[in-house]
Amino acid sequence: MEKEIVSLPKSRHLAQRLLTYEAVAGENSEPPASGAFRVCAKLRRPLTALAGVAGFRSLLSRALTLARAEAPSLGAVQIAADGSLQGQDEFASQSNEEQARDGGVILIAQLIGLLLTFIGEGLTLRLVQDVWPEAVFDGRVYEKERKA
């Protein structure tokens, strides 16, 4: 079994927040997987500026490999030479709505987890806030449950 390199609770929480935000911003007729593709596309530009196309492709490729271990339906998803994700239609047709949504969360969580590992929480949140300036983030990847 491969060593887990991401903090899944932190990265999944942020991934779910981003996908929820994209679902609200997107078309209601879009398949559930489209949110993950949009999140990756929006993160591609600043991450390509930071690490270059090859660096972003490597990061996304690793995230996709890790995500496929948990969501085999992501096998239809490929990364193009420019770092964009391809195979959305195949992915959507090979998965039911719940599998597509879960696969999207897992993929984005792995990507966020790698960012947390390599650039830290502060820079990851700054990058996310730059990409989604109208979204509200509390300055942390996740908020611990408050004692009532």
Side-chain angles (χ1 to χ4, degrees):
M1 186 170 185
E2 190 169 23
K3 182 181 175 188
E4 181 182 37
I5 63 170
V6 299
S7 174
L8 287 179
K10 288 181 179 183
S11 58
R12 282 191 192 219
H13 181 78
L14 183 54
Q16 288 171 334
R17 288 171 63 189
L18 294 176
L19 290 170
T20 298
Y21 189 80
E22 281 301 311
V24 170
E27 301 283 327
N28 288 338
S29 62
E30 290 180 335
S34 67
F37 281 73
R38 283 195 316 272
V39 169
C40 284
K42 287 183 176 183
L43 289 172
R44 184 177 68 171
R45 187 171 146 244
L47 289 172
T48 298
L50 179 68
V53 173
F56 176 70
R57 284 190 77 236
S58 294
L59 188 69
L60 187 57
S61 177
R62 182 67 180 145
L64 184 57
T65 298
L66 292 168
R68 283 180 180 149
E70 231 181 302
S73 59
L74 289 167
V77 177
Q78 302 297 320
I79 303 170
D82 66 354
S84 62
L85 287 178
Q86 297 181 334
Q88 180 176 338
D89 294 336
E90 294 85 358
F91 174 59
S93 70
Q94 292 176 10
S95 344
N96 63 38
E97 196 169 305
E98 185 177 339
Q99 288 173 324
R101 187 175 11 266
D102 290 347
V105 169
I106 292 166
L107 175 60
I108 300 305
Q110 291 294 352
L111 182 58
I112 295 294
L114 291 170
L115 289 172
L116 289 169
T117 298
F118 295 128
I119 66 173
E121 187 172 326
L123 288 176
T124 299
L125 283 173
R126 182 175 295 166
L127 183 136
V128 167
Q129 191 67 65
D130 287 347
V131 174
W132 289 275
E134 59 280 347
V136 177
F137 297 100
D138 62 5
R140 293 181 306 230
V141 172
Y142 73 105
E143 194 172 316
K144 293 181 182 176
E145 289 186 34
R146 294 185 179 143
K147 295 180 182 177

